[in-house]
Amino acid sequence: MKPTSIVSLIIAVLLIILGLVTCMIAQNMATANGEFLFSETREDGLVNTVDLTESEVSKIELIVSDAEINIMRGDKACIEFVNFRENYYNLSAANRVLSFSEIPDITSMLKFWENGFTFKGMRYILNFKKDQEQAPDAKKIINLYLTNDKEIKIFDIQADNCSLNIENMTSATDYNITVNTAEITLTSLKTASNININAKDGDKPAQSVTLNMNRTLAANVNVAADELLMDAKVYRCNVSTNIVCDTGSVAIESAKKADALKMNLDTVSGKVLVDGAEQASPYTTTTANAEDAKLQITTDSADIRITYAGSSAEAPAEGTEP
């Protein structure tokens, strides 16, 4: 080996050692300041936290295979990824869009065939062993906390299977939810925009959805599923509700009286009950006010039950604004 080659090799080794030492020093300094370069170990598992305090975000995209997703108000704007292996997801922020997508396997992680190899940083290589040691069946959770000054225009959530919980959110946000199977709980959710569950153009109906809504107010609600178990309490939709399913049951406790709704309730082999009285299907009503909300439910065998919530103190307020 030529002397210049030996010198070059020695310099390369020294640079590698220097880089490793720098990484370890940086990790210790970050930990001392309460900032974690890698996942932080908590009771729920390994948690990676992204601070959104200084971020200008108008759209959030979450793409997962199987996870629990919780969206709520908090004292600090941040998003927590629990038990997601750091080398198996992409997280990016550009053009006011925060995007998270889960990577299913090592082939996708390396991206040799589609986009070429993507180097995420030496620290992920150093942490790869810890990543591999993480229990593969650990429950994956995304916790999103938003302060009152964070106004998100669009939530775009895509999942094969998920448990989605949204609570105490008041905004003019579009919620676009595309799932295969899901259990969705919406509590004290008010939006002057739309809630779409597998109901955008081109979406196939979800396979199975359990939808629980408590004190929900929206401009438009659209749901499409093969099997739908829907239970909505103190529910108000100011423009239109359109629900399409094959089987299951749809129970809506409306903040509006039945005679203030333009209803089209159609079930082939199920039952239609309005304020406790069974009605023939299809059941259609009209109102004198052209601005009254429309409620359309179309199903094959699901039972449909519409009741009036009464003068509940928790009923959503009147008006199109949440």
Side-chain angles (χ1 to χ4, degrees), residues 170-292:
T170 300
S171 61
T173 303
D174 274 336
Y175 295 90
N176 298 321
I177 303 165
T178 306
V179 293
N180 187 25
T181 60
E183 183 171 328
I184 302 171
T185 301
L186 310 178
T187 305
S188 297
L189 173 63
K190 299 178 183 180
T191 176
S193 196
N194 307 318
I195 300 173
N196 298 311
I197 302 176
N198 283 65
K200 295 185 299 180
D201 290 341
D203 282 346
K204 293 182 179 179
Q207 180 179 334
S208 177
V209 171
T210 298
L211 176 59
N212 296 304
M213 308 172 79
N214 190 10
R215 304 189 304 278
T216 300
L217 165 63
N220 297 283
V221 175
N222 303 292
V223 181
D226 291 337
E227 179 185 25
L228 175 64
L229 299 174
M230 178 176 175
D231 186 9
K233 297 185 182 301
V234 196
Y235 171 82
R236 181 181 178 87
C237 183
N238 284 326
V239 181
S240 69
T241 299
N242 188 11
I243 298 169
V244 179
C245 66
D246 289 337
T247 63
S249 62
V250 178
I252 296 178
E253 183 188 74
S254 174
K256 287 185 175 183
K257 292 183 178 180
D259 58 9
L261 294 172
K262 298 175 182 177
M263 293 190 290
N264 187 351
L265 313 178
D266 189 355
T267 177
V268 176
S269 59
K271 294 181 179 180
V272 175
L273 292 97
V274 178
D275 287 332
E278 186 170 352
Q279 306 290 341
S281 176
Y283 177 76
T284 303
T285 63
T286 59
T287 65
N289 189 350
E291 295 182 356
D292 282 341

Side-chain angles (χ1 to χ4, degrees), residues 8-298:
S8 298
L9 181 60
I10 293 173
I11 293 174
V13 172
L14 290 175
L15 289 175
I16 292 173
I17 295 173
L18 179 62
L20 294 174
V21 172
T22 302
C23 285
M24 288 185 285
I25 293 174
Q27 180 182 358
N28 292 332
M29 291 176 64
T31 303
N33 291 329
E35 301 174 0
F36 294 88
L37 294 180
F38 304 123
S39 296
E40 176 188 3
T41 301
R42 297 186 193 170
E43 183 177 348
D44 291 335
L46 297 177
V47 182
N48 183 21
T49 303
V50 178
D51 190 349
L52 301 177
T53 304
E54 303 298 328
S55 301
E56 293 187 8
V57 178
S58 61
K59 180 179 180 180
I60 295 179
E61 299 177 339
L62 301 175
I63 304 174
V64 298
S65 57
D66 188 346
E68 175 184 319
I69 301 174
N70 303 302
I71 301 173
M72 67 205 84
R73 291 296 181 187
D75 296 330
K76 180 181 179 181
C78 66
I79 184 167
E80 297 175 341
F81 302 101
V82 184
N83 293 323
F84 284 91
R85 296 162 68 178
E86 287 176 305
N87 289 289
Y88 285 82
Y89 66 79
N90 285 326
L91 179 64
S92 63
N95 300 321
R96 296 190 176 186
V97 177
L98 178 68
S99 179
F100 173 90
S101 59
E102 188 176 5
I103 300 173
D105 51 43
I106 192 168
T107 299
S108 299
M109 180 188 75
L110 297 180
K111 297 181 181 177
F112 275 119
W113 290 274
E114 293 184 6
N115 301 320
F117 177 71
T118 301
F119 179 64
K120 297 178 65 177
M122 178 65 72
R123 62 189 174 121
Y124 291 101
I125 296 178
L126 295 176
N127 202 46
F128 190 76
K129 182 178 180 181
K130 181 180 177 181
D131 224 17
Q132 291 295 100
E133 291 173 350
Q134 182 177 340
D137 57 348
K139 185 178 182 180
K140 297 175 182 177
I141 305 172
I142 298 177
N143 296 319
L144 174 59
Y145 302 94
L146 294 171
T147 51
N148 290 328
D149 62 323
K150 293 292 183 183
E151 293 296 334
I152 307 301
K153 299 297 184 183
I154 301 174
F155 278 108
D156 195 346
I157 299 171
Q158 302 176 39
D160 292 331
N161 177 54
C162 80
S163 171
L164 173 62
N165 304 291
I166 306 175
E167 60 179 283
N168 297 325
M169 298 294 293
T170 300
S171 61
T173 303
D174 274 336
Y175 295 90
N176 298 321
I177 303 165
T178 306
V179 293
N180 187 25
T181 60
E183 183 171 328
I184 302 171
T185 301
L186 310 178
T187 305
S188 297
L189 173 63
K190 299 178 183 180
T191 176
S193 196
N194 307 318
I195 300 173
N196 298 311
I197 302 176
N198 283 65
K200 295 185 299 180
D201 290 341
D203 282 346
K204 293 182 179 179
Q207 180 179 334
S208 177
V209 171
T210 298
L211 176 59
N212 296 304
M213 308 172 79
N214 190 10
R215 304 189 304 278
T216 300
L217 165 63
N220 297 283
V221 175
N222 303 292
V223 181
D226 291 337
E227 179 185 25
L228 175 64
L229 299 174
M230 178 176 175
D231 186 9
K233 297 185 182 301
V234 196
Y235 171 82
R236 181 181 178 87
C237 183
N238 284 326
V239 181
S240 69
T241 299
N242 188 11
I243 298 169
V244 179
C245 66
D246 289 337
T247 63
S249 62
V250 178
I252 296 178
E253 183 188 74
S254 174
K256 287 185 175 183
K257 292 183 178 180
D259 58 9
L261 294 172
K262 298 175 182 177
M263 293 190 290
N264 187 351
L265 313 178
D266 189 355
T267 177
V268 176
S269 59
K271 294 181 179 180
V272 175
L273 292 97
V274 178
D275 287 332
E278 186 170 352
Q279 306 290 341
S281 176
Y283 177 76
T284 303
T285 63
T286 59
T287 65
N289 189 350
E291 295 182 356
D292 282 341
K294 298 177 181 178
L295 173 60
Q296 180 164 322
I297 303 174
T298 305

